[in-house]
Amino acid sequence: MRSAGIHHITAIAGDPQRNLDFYSETLGLRLVKRTVNFDDPGSYHFYFGDNIGRPGTIITFFPWPGARRGTRGSGQVTTVSFAVPHNSMAFWKEQLRANHVIAEEIAGRFGSNALRFLDPDGLQLELVVIPSEVERSRRGIFKAPSTGSFDSAQDDKIFGFAAPTLEVRKPEKTENLLTEILGFEFVAEENNRRRFRGSGSNPSSEIDLVSSEAGFGQIAVGTVHHIAFRAADDDEQLRVREQLVARGLNVTPVIDRQYFHSIYFREPNGILFEIATDGPGFLIDEPADALGETLKLPSVYEPKRDEIERVLPTIHLRHSAA
Ligand code: ZN
């Protein structure tokens, strides 16, 4: 397999409306799907991304109102990093300040500057300024969200992921899996951070492995639940599944997630990895101009729609995409 890179990252939030407001209004991502957790249909599953939720741009949340907070630590994706244009730093500083988000500036990681801050549930995020030549190659692949209220020129928007941080106790074990089975290659090293790249030629093809002595993190509100890597299609997913099984990893069967097909396993340092197919995508059950506006359910839950809608908290999008 040569994975193109990150497909999506899924984290746990607290209050759903607060989560929706932060990612759509403050960060300017588009809610591309409003559905339920297929394993727990009494709670929401929100997908945010670019205008149609292309792989590499999708951050998803399970909002668990009232649940306890988790802790960051090893065996986790500890920082979710997004790529922003090279000349957008001033815009983002002001955008975060205006939304009462305290951001810390990080200078020069692999030559790029970044802003680091927490989302309303304590999830650590970064906006990484990417070089203009990378940006140009990227724009053809990822169109920034073109709708919503985001009060900025198109030119300031988030492109997608940019080398999120995975903290692990024994990096060589995760590294072997990434390079020998998922097809990533080592590209650069800085301090205790090693960068790996999938076959895609953009920042969402990259992840950073950081060697950590920290205790294991606890997955709950404000932490990442899992990270998904891209498989081009069902055949590639099945082939990689065989290799993972042959390596002794405990891999789930293929699960239909409606918008993609998934397999899950824990990598050797304990991070939950998913391999997700690029298709069929978010346009399978609603048109591009209506993405995220109404609750979508897989057909098995349609007969229970009334019951499900009764237990889900009421939420509203502040600005319609139309
Ligand atoms: Zn997932």
Side-chain angles (χ1 to χ4, degrees):
M1 183 192 199
R2 287 230 54 204
S3 175
I6 301 167
H7 185 287
H8 66 269
I9 293 176
T10 293
I12 301 167
D15 182 70
Q17 185 67 53
R18 192 173 63 173
N19 177 259
L20 183 55
D21 288 345
F22 186 80
Y23 285 89
S24 61
E25 303 295 315
T26 302
L27 295 188
L29 297 174
R30 184 175 184 192
L31 181 71
V32 293
K33 198 63 64 182
R34 178 191 308 209
T35 184
V36 292
N37 181 339
F38 290 1
D39 301 322
D40 171 21
S43 60
Y44 279 117
H45 194 179
F46 294 156
Y47 291 80
F48 299 92
D50 73 355
N51 58 340
I52 60 162
R54 290 174 179 80
T57 72
I58 311 158
I59 184 164
T60 98
F61 290 91
F62 300 134
W64 294 349
R68 69 183 170 84
R69 283 235 176 152
T71 53
R72 268 193 300 282
S74 70
Q76 276 187 346
V77 177
T78 52
T79 309
V80 178
S81 308
F82 295 103
V84 294
H86 72 281
N87 55 1
S88 67
M89 190 63 120
F91 166 80
W92 281 108
K93 281 184 181 169
E94 175 54 24
Q95 173 72 358
L96 294 173
R97 193 202 58 76
N99 285 279
H100 314 290
V101 179
I102 298 164
E104 168 197 3
E105 201 163 346
I106 304 167
R109 180 193 298 158
F110 297 117
S112 289
N113 296 334
L115 293 172
R116 177 188 286 166
F117 51 98
L118 302 176
D119 88 351
D121 293 302
L123 180 65
Q124 188 159 267
L125 306 176
E126 289 172 348
L127 297 178
V128 181
V129 173
I130 62 170
S132 53
E133 66 274 13
V134 176
E135 191 182 313
R136 274 193 297 276
S137 69
R138 180 85 188 242
R139 283 198 184 273
I141 307 168
F142 293 104
K143 288 177 81 172
S146 59
T147 53
S149 68
F150 197 62
D151 186 20
S152 160
Q154 182 84 358
D155 288 352
D156 291 319
K157 291 180 175 176
I158 287 173
F159 293 168
F161 295 116
T165 299
L166 284 66
E167 275 192 39
V168 294
R169 290 278 187 90
K170 297 191 167 76
E172 64 286 353
K173 292 192 172 183
T174 304
E175 177 170 341
N176 289 345
L177 178 75
L178 286 168
T179 56
E180 291 166 15
I181 298 193
L182 303 187
F184 278 71
E185 57 186 37
F186 168 75
V187 287
E189 183 166 27
E190 200 175 84
N191 304 317
N192 60 345
R193 179 179 293 269
R194 283 165 68 78
R195 179 158 293 179
F196 296 86
R197 185 179 295 148
S199 65
S201 58
N202 58 68
S204 80
S205 67
E206 295 177 343
I207 62 162
D208 283 357
L209 268 189
V210 167
S211 170
S212 168
E213 296 299 313
F216 286 105
Q218 286 191 317
I219 310 270
V221 172
T223 62
V224 170
H225 186 267
H226 64 268
I227 181 168
F229 298 99
R230 293 172 65 180
D233 53 31
D234 294 320
D235 288 345
E236 185 175 57
Q237 182 179 57
L238 287 174
R239 283 198 304 275
V240 77
R241 186 178 184 283
E242 280 175 21
Q243 289 182 291
L244 292 164
V245 169
R247 213 175 165 105
L249 290 159
N250 190 6
V251 191
T252 67
V254 175
I255 299 172
D256 183 0
R257 294 306 189 193
Q258 185 88 350
Y259 311 107
F260 41 84
H261 304 145
S262 299
I263 57 173
Y264 302 83
F265 60 99
R266 271 191 203 282
E267 58 82 37
N269 280 290
I271 304 177
L272 185 60
F273 275 13
E274 173 181 351
I275 309 286
T277 54
D278 278 0
F282 296 100
L283 301 177
I284 190 177
D285 60 0
E286 57 189 343
D289 63 2
L291 289 174
E293 292 188 4
T294 57
L295 183 72
K296 304 308 287 186
L297 296 174
S299 53
V300 296
Y301 292 136
E302 271 304 340
K304 293 188 167 178
R305 177 175 280 273
D306 288 352
E307 197 182 321
I308 288 170
E309 288 184 342
R310 257 199 311 279
V311 301
L312 290 172
T314 303
I315 53 162
H316 55 279
L317 269 175
R318 297 203 187 277
H319 296 85
S320 160

